[in-house]
Amino acid sequence: MQAQPMIVVHDVQASSRWYQSVLGLKSAHGGSEYERLTLKDKLVMQIHRWDAHEHPHMGDSKVQPYGNGVLLWFQADDFDAAVERVIAHNAQILEPPKVNTNANHREIWLRDPNGYVVVI
């Protein structure tokens, strides 16, 4: 089984550009209502517009913060390159790069333009 998280946003194309720039993902669908983002032809995440189609279980755009209690966590093959993209893109950093001794890995915590927490 492989997770394929989906976030719901107001501007799919802007969110797609952010994730492509910061995480190095590629668009595999494109459009203003729905996006599939991949890495090495493998689906990493999906982005859906709040009011597109009639999906009653995607949540309510009026209830914030979006994704409260859910973190979008990405394992990067090249952590240093990921941090360079984060800095180059001026992404909002919640916690700078550090070693998480409990998990025995390096990580950086961000907030995407929609308010979702992203950890690399």
Side-chain angles (χ1 to χ4, degrees), residues 20-31:
Q20 289 180 61
S21 296
V22 173
L23 297 183
L25 302 178
K26 302 251 186 254
S27 172
H29 186 277

Side-chain angles (χ1 to χ4, degrees), residues 4-8 34-35 45-48 58 72 116:
Q4 300 175 343
M6 177 186 291
I7 60 171
V8 188
Y34 175 76
E35 172 69 284
M45 70 179 298
Q46 305 168 80
I47 304 173
H48 202 289
M58 283 203 290
L72 298 171
Y116 291 100

Side-chain angles (χ1 to χ4, degrees), residues 26 39 47 60 62 75 89 95 98-99 117-118 120:
K26 302 251 186 254
L39 183 64
I47 304 173
D60 183 343
K62 296 173 189 77
Q75 181 176 330
H89 192 67
E95 293 185 36
K98 65 179 183 179
V99 174
V117 175
V118 175
I120 303 171

Side-chain angles (χ1 to χ4, degrees), residues 1 35 40 42 45 51 54 62 85 90 92 113:
M1 183 178 302
E35 172 69 284
K40 299 178 184 174
K42 192 171 192 177
M45 70 179 298
D51 59 351
E54 294 186 23
K62 296 173 189 77
R85 285 192 305 271
N90 293 318
Q92 181 185 358

Side-chain angles (χ1 to χ4, degrees), residues 80-92:
D80 294 322
V83 170
E84 287 177 18
R85 285 192 305 271
V86 166
I87 292 167
H89 192 67
N90 293 318
Q92 181 185 358

